[in-house]
Amino acid sequence: MLKLNRVHHIAIICSDYAKSKRFYTEVLGLKIVREVYREQRQSYKLDLEVGNFYQIELFSFPDPPARSSRPEAAGLRHLAFEVDDLGEAVAHISSFGVDIEPIRVDETTGKRFTFFADPDGLPLELYEI
């Protein structure tokens, strides 16, 4: 039987590298592990750490096609980040001018959560533990 240990990383392709790098590092506070420019692909690859684990790869490519994410397109629905204090996280992200949906309560777990989007419209969730 196959044994998967955990998700190793999530790859995100952005349309504006500088804008997305700022969003993921300054707004979300992710730590840069490594940044490489790949000349042959005219592409940056930025490795980011979430909660002391390398988990997100941010890529840039020349003129990537737009990906439909709303309404409820097939495929990856969203990325969810666990937070200790949802109110504090919402206040921090909002201070950068990011629009955040109203906080909701998960009817199954009773936990609070909300959604917002990265600079390319990728849906992101904050989920309070």
Side-chain angles (χ1 to χ4, degrees):
M1 163 120 356
L2 175 64
K3 179 185 176 287
L4 301 177
N5 295 326
R6 63 182 176 94
V7 173
H8 183 266
H9 68 270
I10 298 157
I12 299 171
I13 297 173
C14 63
S15 62
D16 182 326
Y17 181 72
K19 190 174 185 180
S20 290
K21 178 182 176 181
R22 178 184 175 275
F23 178 83
Y24 282 95
T25 60
E26 294 180 27
V27 177
L28 297 186
L30 304 185
K31 180 182 171 190
I32 296 174
V33 175
R34 180 183 315 97
E35 181 176 34
V36 177
Y37 181 73
R38 302 170 313 165
E39 182 68 40
Q40 71 282 9
R41 292 183 167 188
Q42 299 176 350
S43 168
Y44 279 98
K45 178 180 181 281
L46 183 66
D47 297 333
L48 299 167
E49 189 175 280
V50 181
N52 299 318
F53 294 100
Y54 157 65
Q55 292 186 319
I56 294 182
E57 294 177 339
L58 183 65
F59 290 95
S60 68
F61 291 104
D63 302 312
R67 181 176 310 212
S68 148
S69 64
R70 292 180 189 250
E72 303 301 338
L76 180 64
R77 185 172 181 177
H78 63 267
L79 301 180
F81 295 100
E82 178 183 292
V83 297
D84 293 327
D85 184 327
L86 187 60
E88 182 180 293
V90 165
H92 172 82
I93 292 170
S94 295
S95 74
F96 287 89
V98 175
D99 291 327
I100 299 180
E101 293 181 4
I103 292 174
R104 296 185 262 168
V105 176
D106 185 315
E107 57 192 45
T108 304
T109 65
K111 301 288 186 173
R112 297 181 331 140
F113 67 97
T114 189
F115 286 92
F116 60 105
D118 83 351
D120 287 303
L122 175 66
L124 302 173
E125 178 183 2
L126 296 175
Y127 195 90
E128 188 175 64
I129 57 166

